[in-house]
């Protein structure tokens, strides 16, 4: 079974190729439908009853106070959650209409199709910049010809706005880059496999303002091709980069996190329905 057939019907959707630098036509990115999702760590009920439609080719920000389950929720969208001990979910996550948790769906393939970028940039430190970009592609089992590999490296680094800064040192280790460059390298690695969805968990929280601004610009460009879900604790960032915002909160100490409300970012930030949303956004708690 090919990687893409996990989420996409190959009879109706052409498989994009990674052969042409920057020019390969892509099918429209796919949206995510979450229905009545409960997420557990053993006996700990971390997230309760989330129903949320995440539109394709847009940026959805997930905001809320620490511990309300933002990271847990994000990891449930590419089956990373179940890596934790005793972890399980109840409910439905549909990606492009397909149930991510249906029997027979291979979580390893799902994780390759739905890319993730973490809080701390995590390039392979001793691996060259070029090999970092290709790491995911090689994991997928592709034996690449040299010119194919070079095309993927250039396309991905251009896509991550890093090409001009590193094109003359592709053989140098990833660890030699600044934090902001490392994070863009991780984004290049994530997009090298042409995922449909990019999940980002506080991708700028370890970065300085200039690198943060570079990543935010990049997110704005990437949404033309990808469905992006970003967890951020920075309200200005959520307002700047996202089209939709989902506000999570804890009903009480020891209670699971819940989705309080979601909608267009302009509405959530200017005229939310729930008083706790407004209190959080204006900095009165969290
Ligand atoms: N590996 C884990 N095992 C048990 N509980 C966890 C684990 N990871 C997170 N939790 C719990 O799940 C809840 C949500 O955590 P998390 O998703 O990290 O919140 P956020 O990202 O919003 O800060 C918290 O109560 C946290 O303690
Ligand atoms: Mg978190």
């Amino acid at each position: 079974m090919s990687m893409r057939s996990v989420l996409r019907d190959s009879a109706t959707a052409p498989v994009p190729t990674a052969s042409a630098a920057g020019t390969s036509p892509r099918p429209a990115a796919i949206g995510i439908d979450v229905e009545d999702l409960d997420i557990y760590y053993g006996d700990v009920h971390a997230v309760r009853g989330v129903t949320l439609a995440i539109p394709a080719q847009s940026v959805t920000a997930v905001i809320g106070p620490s511990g309300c389950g933002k990271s847990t929720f994000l990891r449930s969208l590419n089956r990373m959650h179940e890596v934790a001990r005793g972890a399980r979910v109840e409910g439905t996550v549909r990606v492009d209409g397909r149930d991510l948790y249906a029997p027979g769906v291979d979580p390893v393939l799902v994780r390759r199709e739905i890319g993730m970028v973490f809080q701390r940039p995590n390039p392979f430190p001793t691996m060259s910049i070029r090999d970092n970009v290709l790491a995911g592609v090689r994991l997928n089992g592709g034996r690449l010809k040299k010119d194919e590999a070079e095309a993927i490296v250039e396309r991905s680094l251009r896509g991550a706005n890093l090409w001009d800064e590193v094109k003359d040192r592709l053989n140098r280790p990833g660890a030699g880059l600044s934090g902001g460059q490392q994070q863009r390298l991780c984004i290049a690695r994530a997009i090298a496999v042409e995922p449909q969805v990019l999940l980002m968990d506080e991708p700028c929280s370890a970065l300085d303002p200039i690198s943060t601004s570079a990543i935010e610009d990049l997110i704005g460009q990437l949404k033309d091709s990808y469905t992006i879900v970003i967890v951020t604790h920075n309200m200005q960032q959520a307002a700047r980069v996202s089209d939709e915002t989902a506000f999570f909160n804890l009903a009480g100490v020891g209670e699971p996190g819940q989705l309080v409300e979601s909608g267009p970012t302009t509405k959530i930030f200017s005229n939310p329905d729930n008083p706790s949303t407004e209190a959080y956004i204006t900095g009165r708690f969290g």
Side-chain angles (χ1 to χ4, degrees), residues 41 44 46-47 64-73 75 84-85 201-202 231 250:
Y41 296 95
V44 177
V47 174
S66 184
C68 70
K70 303 180 296 297
S71 296
T72 299
F73 173 70
R75 290 193 298 263
R85 258 176 86 98
D201 194 352
E202 302 194 25
V231 171
L250 291 159

Side-chain angles (χ1 to χ4, degrees), residues 153-154 157-158 160-168 170:
V153 168
E154 179 169 348
L157 288 170
R158 282 192 189 281
N161 266 343
L162 188 58
W163 174 250
D164 289 335
E165 290 160 64
V166 301
K167 61 175 191 268
D168 300 322
L170 295 174

Side-chain angles (χ1 to χ4, degrees), residues 6-202:
V6 180
L7 300 175
R8 200 169 254 296
D9 185 348
S10 54
T12 57
V15 175
T17 61
S19 54
T23 55
S24 60
R26 302 173 49 87
I30 53 188
I32 307 174
D33 269 302
V34 179
E35 215 179 293
D36 207 13
L37 188 70
D38 284 81
I39 316 179
Y40 301 85
Y41 296 95
D43 294 338
V44 177
H45 193 174
V47 174
R48 175 158 65 203
V50 175
T51 295
L52 177 66
I54 297 170
Q57 280 168 294
S58 65
V59 180
T60 297
V62 175
I63 61 170
S66 184
C68 70
K70 303 180 296 297
S71 296
T72 299
F73 173 70
L74 201 69
R75 290 193 298 263
S76 75
L77 301 181
N78 76 342
R79 297 196 58 172
M80 284 269 282
H81 171 65
E82 66 213 54
V83 170
R85 258 176 86 98
R88 65 195 168 87
V89 306
E90 286 169 11
T92 318
V93 179
R94 284 193 198 83
V95 178
D96 202 22
R98 301 188 167 214
D99 183 356
L100 214 60
Y101 287 91
V105 174
D106 181 345
V108 174
L109 299 181
V110 169
R111 288 171 208 144
R112 290 178 196 170
E113 177 71 1
I114 303 180
M116 192 138 186
V117 174
F118 299 88
Q119 203 162 344
R120 303 227 154 245
N122 60 347
F124 302 108
T126 56
M127 201 182 262
S128 71
I129 292 168
R130 172 187 286 107
D131 288 342
N132 262 287
V133 175
L134 293 171
V137 182
R138 286 182 172 142
L139 259 181
N140 285 352
R143 265 189 61 82
L144 296 168
K145 295 203 191 88
K146 192 163 186 301
D147 57 339
E148 281 174 343
E150 291 309 296
I152 292 171
V153 168
E154 179 169 348
R155 170 181 60 78
S156 307
L157 288 170
R158 282 192 189 281
N161 266 343
L162 188 58
W163 174 250
D164 289 335
E165 290 160 64
V166 301
K167 61 175 191 268
D168 300 322
R169 46 171 165 157
L170 295 174
N171 294 322
R172 305 282 294 280
L177 301 175
S178 72
Q181 289 172 327
Q182 287 188 19
Q183 193 61 301
R184 279 178 285 150
L185 179 59
C186 292
I187 292 171
R189 181 175 64 191
I191 63 181
V193 300
E194 302 203 51
Q196 299 300 314
V197 179
L198 267 184
L199 308 175
M200 301 183 162
D201 194 352
E202 302 194 25

